[in-house]
Amino acid sequence: MKNVEFPDPTIERLCCYRRILSALLAAGHARVYSHELAAAQRVTPAQVRRDVMLIGYSGSPVKGYDIAGLLDRIGEILDPPGGVGVVLVGVGYLGRALLAYFAGRKSPIPVVAAFDVAPETSGQLIHGCHCYHIDELSSFLSRRSILVGIVAVPAEAAQKTARELIDGGVRALLNFAPVQLDVPQNVYVENVDIAVSLEKTAFFAQSMSLEKED
Amino acid sequence: MKNVEFPDPTIERLCCYRRILSALLAAGHARVYSHELAAAQRVTPAQVRRDVMLIGYSGSPVKGYDIAGLLDRIGEILDPPGGVGVVLVGVGYLGRALLAYFAGRKSPIPVVAAFDVAPETSGQLIHGCHCYHIDELSSFLSRRSILVGIVAVPAEAAQKTARELIDGGVRALLNFAPVQLDVPQNVYVENVDIAVSLEKTAFFAQSMSLEKED
DNA sequence: ACTATACTGTGATTGTCTTCACAGCGTGAA
DNA sequence: TTCACGCTGTGAAGACAATCACAGTATAGT
């Protein structure tokens, strides 16, 4: 098995391609050209072709790519063979929003359980997801094979939460807390920092308004 | 005035530096070395020094950087002179989570108003933010100078929302909807795509578990 | 059968961001 | 006053990703 790793930005684009391809397939299309896929994103046709090349798929000249086939191939790359279990820690406003978000769309990656310190959330079923007290996290992780943990707790609790998840066997974290998590090198952390995103947006709003109108 | 633009990744790091510097200042520190700042993030000391150089600040050898001075300088870069107004569109689960998030921390960038299609949210005060019906958006924007819009509506409504915001004078969007917004070139869009983030995390969880333990 | 066409596949190039490595310098000790 | 130390500032090199540009090719039309 080739253990070639795909570059980070390519993985991100593959997720987006998949979304668009699914929509196209649902709309009755069977084939797509690189420039069509590119137009739906903010990328160049050459970028699309290179990504497709990277994952080892081929289209035909003249007719473009077969949507169903390309979708399958992307799925082979992105979707883990046995499926990944995902747990959510932190059922505050953000945690609930995430549960609603993932419950709404029939996601390929369902959240199997949620945990929180607040006793009143224990036993609740929120947006279709069972909630437990945080104390039950370790035993839950030891019983199920969970590879991904979503950290949606306040900043102060984030590091402790991360450690518990990692000790339980989780290999990657999706971190919404505004802190840099200290994790072993064999654990992947994807940070989603809303405050930083907003500050960045505000900065570019400012610099945009200085530029020429187009 | 030098209109030199800073690279995107630098802006992101500046936001993080600021957060760390504030914490250090609050903890009573007065000076910091590049390697200390670097350790708190996942960056190299050289990266920190280059960023500091870029924004035109200088530390002293031996003593490092003056925290208060560096914070001021970062603020001059990141914070718009007159402050940016921010409005939120979409007061669903995610929108409420965002309001709670920004209300909790005394953010340098407050959300001044929120809008939604649901009539029952109109007139409410959610986490300290006034909510209005979406129909009032245009007139609100024409009365106030708003540079940033947060799009937290369902995917189907996102493009329409974006257009209304841009027509109202907004120059940058923070987009949580899982679609690529079609905007003029002089409008900046920062996408926060939670579904993509989770899929990406799941992918790397998988590839991490194939690698050597450290 | 032949030709024109418009696409894909990809080596080469460009551009951008990160890292290296060392000169320069201010401080504190002798 | 002199020296040694450990930091900063930065030109140069390196790594990486995006783009260009064109050869190769399958199809449709004549």
Side-chain angles (χ1 to χ4, degrees), chain A residues 20-176:
Chain A
I20 293 164
L21 291 170
S22 299
L24 285 173
L25 197 64
H29 294 76
R31 310 197 132 262
V32 70
Y33 296 119
S34 64
H35 63 260
E36 294 174 311
L37 252 186
Q41 307 282 329
R42 288 293 195 105
V43 293
T44 61
Q47 182 77 75
V48 172
R49 293 203 299 275
R50 186 154 302 273
D51 286 335
V52 171
M53 191 186 94
L54 250 177
I55 64 172
Y57 192 76
S58 289
S60 88
V62 185
K63 297 212 299 183
Y65 301 103
D66 178 67
I67 293 181
L70 184 51
L71 265 175
D72 284 352
R73 182 67 192 132
I74 293 177
E76 286 173 29
I77 304 289
L78 291 184
D79 298 331
V84 278
V86 178
V87 296
L88 167 73
V89 183
V91 191
Y93 292 111
L94 181 59
R96 285 158 202 266
L98 294 173
L99 288 177
Y101 188 89
F102 291 123
R105 43 179 39 233
K106 54 163 187 10
S107 175
I109 305 173
V111 178
V112 298
F115 299 85
D116 200 287
V117 284
E120 57 269 25
T121 55
S122 300
Q124 280 193 38
L125 189 70
I126 298 181
H127 302 300
C129 181
H130 287 281
C131 299
Y132 306 92
H133 190 266
I134 187 73
D135 290 344
E136 300 181 55
L137 178 59
S138 318
S139 77
F140 185 94
L141 291 175
S142 65
R143 274 179 282 121
R144 302 265 247 130
S145 170
I146 302 291
L147 286 184
V148 173
I150 303 176
V151 178
V153 301
E156 311 81 62
Q159 183 60 56
K160 184 168 176 292
T161 299
R163 189 151 305 278
E164 288 180 26
L165 285 165
I166 293 165
D167 289 345
V170 158
R171 305 313 281 267
L173 299 174
L174 179 55
N175 176 40
F176 288 88

Side-chain angles (χ1 to χ4, degrees), chain B residues 71-104:
Chain B
L71 265 175
D72 284 350
R73 182 67 191 132
I74 292 176
E76 286 173 29
I77 303 290
L78 291 183
D79 299 332
V84 279
V86 178
V87 296
L88 167 72
V89 182
V91 191
Y93 292 110
L94 181 59
R96 283 159 203 266
L98 294 173
L99 288 177
Y101 188 88
F102 291 123

Side-chain angles (χ1 to χ4, degrees), chain B residues 156-180:
Chain B
E156 311 80 62
Q159 183 58 58
K160 184 168 176 293
T161 299
R163 187 151 306 279
E164 288 180 25
L165 285 165
I166 293 166
D167 288 345
V170 158
R171 306 312 281 267
L173 299 173
L174 179 55
N175 176 40
F176 288 89
V179 290
Q180 192 65 33

Side-chain angles (χ1 to χ4, degrees), chain B residues 17-30:
Chain B
Y17 295 154
R18 172 148 76 170
R19 183 182 287 158
I20 293 164
L21 290 171
S22 299
L24 285 173
L25 197 64
H29 294 77

Side-chain angles (χ1 to χ4, degrees), chain B residues 33-83:
Chain B
Y33 296 119
S34 65
H35 64 261
E36 295 174 312
L37 251 185
Q41 308 281 328
R42 288 292 197 105
V43 292
T44 60
Q47 183 77 76
V48 172
R49 293 203 299 276
R50 183 147 311 265
D51 287 334
V52 171
M53 190 186 94
L54 251 177
I55 63 172
Y57 192 75
S58 289
S60 89
V62 184
K63 299 211 299 182
Y65 301 103
D66 178 67
I67 292 181
L70 185 49
L71 265 175
D72 284 350
R73 182 67 191 132
I74 292 176
E76 286 173 29
I77 303 290
L78 291 183
D79 299 332

